[in-house]
Amino acid sequence: MSYYAVLLPMKDEEKSRKYRPQHLAFLKQMRQEKKILMNGKFTDGSGGLVIYVADSFDQAVSYLQEDPYIKEGARDWEIHEWAMETDIAFDF
């Protein structure tokens, strides 16, 4: 299992407002399925960050492409495999 950090910079503010409920529901479902470790918006309104949990880069991208923000063109995206280091135990 690997971690993938996805930056979601703002692309279209109107679409972001319109699809926010669907985006948040998607994130909640993915957290429940343990496909997302954590997520959150940037406090300056410039976008957000999602940490996906996946077996491969391609799998992480496939998860990302199901996000309503991506499907509807509300956000751009940038993905990087992330070598997380922590003393906190996560159940993944």
Side-chain angles (χ1 to χ4, degrees):
M1 207 53 67
S2 297
Y3 300 96
Y4 297 87
V6 177
L7 298 171
L8 296 172
M10 186 66 67
K11 182 177 180 179
D12 185 314
E13 287 185 38
E14 184 177 325
K15 285 183 179 180
S16 288
R17 278 191 298 277
K18 180 176 180 180
Y19 294 105
R20 182 170 175 74
Q22 293 94 326
H23 168 72
L24 294 177
F26 167 78
L27 295 175
K28 181 178 181 179
Q29 180 65 37
M30 294 294 278
R31 284 193 314 271
Q32 290 171 345
E33 294 175 12
K34 298 189 185 260
K35 294 177 181 176
I36 288 179
L37 177 64
M38 59 184 69
N39 61 275
K41 65 181 181 177
F42 298 134
T43 58
D44 65 1
S46 65
L49 172 70
V50 179
I51 306 296
Y52 283 93
V53 180
D55 291 325
S56 68
F57 182 87
D58 290 338
Q59 185 179 55
V61 171
S62 74
Y63 294 162
L64 167 65
Q65 290 174 334
E66 293 303 312
D67 185 333
Y69 270 178
I70 302 308
K71 290 171 110 174
E72 301 299 337
R75 301 289 177 96
D76 283 324
W77 60 275
E78 182 180 331
I79 186 170
H80 302 273
E81 188 169 1
W82 184 46
M84 179 179 64
E85 295 185 28
T86 183
D87 293 330
I88 299 170
F90 291 100
D91 183 23
F92 282 91

